[in-house]
Amino acid sequence: MGVNSQGRILQEVEKQLSKVLGETVMIASSKVLSGGCINHASKIDTNCGSFFLKWNSDCESDIFIREAESLKELSKASDGTVCVPKVLYAKELDELPALLVMEYLEPGGSNQSERLGRGLALIHKYQQNDFGFYSDNYCGATAQNNTWGKSWVPFFRDRRLAFLINMIRESRGVDSSCLRLFEKLLDRLELLIPNEERASLIHGDLWSGNYMLTKNGPALIDPAASYSHREMEFGIVTLFGGFSSRFFDAYNDEFPLDSGWQERNQLYQLYHVLSHYYLFGGAYLHQAVAIAKRYL
């Protein structure tokens, strides 16, 4: 990004933070942070403290508005066992990039697996009767249909798997044999998944890159929140690893999972494998087909 564009972003941040904080905010320095594969990120130091800024000029226009909504909802459910960064400002993509300004969480600490597991369980205890969310949002860069539903299996079938398969068909194309395989699986979901549990608030994209260790404890970042069956969370938690047995033990001490959750786990992994195929193509389709065949 050019110097002029960066200057305009920082001017906008100063202006909006001044409104939020009720005093004139002046940025003293801005340091680019590494680690983001989709968005640009910086630590900005001001006369009113340090903040985390991320921006993107090549994204869905409302992606940070939706992320801010997820963070605010997770904040309602968290008792502080896990940290959720406070949102200060979010804006849509227009003549300036899309922006998100949050409190800056100082990295640090170790051996926070138990606290992360217990804190996630407490968030999952934040429940309601209907499945969905207050607006559609994004899992990474993949659109999610969060239209409310009364029952979990129809929601998962129609708003998650079928919705995503249709996007894949339109954007990448899938041969008819794969489509028939996925359709058979969709028809069997009522037999494979229990429908009884209430809707839990979930992070929605909780892989090892979407939590961080801070001096105040583990923090959840980059959510794709929804009210879903909490087993959905563990599809992505288990897909790439990075969560210890201490994490799972602490979770189950606080809010035990059903004894059969691991038998259903790959059904929830399927959603994220299909999402990766939608975004990146490649061998993810073969992985998705193998998962579908397991349940037929």
Side-chain angles (χ1 to χ4, degrees), residues 75-211:
S75 292
K76 295 178 187 177
S78 174
D79 69 344
T81 303
V82 292
C83 306
V84 180
K86 181 181 179 181
V87 174
L88 280 301
Y89 175 62
K91 72 171 286 294
E92 292 191 354
L93 174 66
D94 48 30
E95 69 276 1
L96 282 176
L99 304 176
L100 181 61
V101 183
M102 299 178 287
E103 68 172 309
Y104 179 76
L105 301 176
E106 194 70 44
S110 60
N111 299 322
Q112 297 179 5
S113 292
E114 292 177 21
R115 189 167 166 183
L116 179 62
R118 186 170 70 256
L120 182 65
L122 291 169
I123 287 175
H124 287 175
K125 286 184 174 181
Y126 195 79
Q127 295 180 316
Q128 61 166 285
N129 292 324
D130 293 345
F131 298 89
F133 203 59
Y134 305 103
S135 55
D136 295 342
N137 55 20
Y138 304 90
C139 185
T142 301
Q144 288 194 146
N145 181 341
N146 288 324
T147 304
W148 294 102
K150 295 291 184 183
S151 299
W152 170 243
V153 175
F155 179 89
F156 179 59
R157 181 189 64 222
D158 300 335
R159 305 286 188 258
R160 289 294 180 263
L161 291 180
F163 181 78
L164 182 51
I165 289 166
N166 188 56
M167 289 199 302
I168 290 170
R169 182 168 50 202
E170 293 177 355
S171 66
R172 291 195 174 275
V174 182
D175 66 51
S176 58
S177 63
C178 287
L179 286 175
R180 285 195 300 270
L181 186 72
F182 292 138
E183 287 167 1
K184 287 180 182 179
L185 178 61
L186 296 180
D187 289 340
R188 281 182 52 82
L189 289 178
E190 289 280 3
L191 302 175
L192 297 170
I193 298 174
N195 228 336
E196 302 86 21
E197 193 160 319
R198 294 182 70 204
S200 290
L201 180 63
I202 68 169
H203 176 284
D205 194 16
L206 188 55
W207 63 290
S208 60
N210 281 351
Y211 75 87

Side-chain angles (χ1 to χ4, degrees), residues 38-58:
I38 298 175
N39 305 302
H40 305 281
S42 294
K43 177 189 178 186
I44 54 174
D45 294 312
T46 80
N47 59 308
C48 295
S50 297
F51 302 92
F52 177 84
L53 163 68
K54 65 179 178 178
W55 72 94
N56 198 326
S57 57
D58 184 21

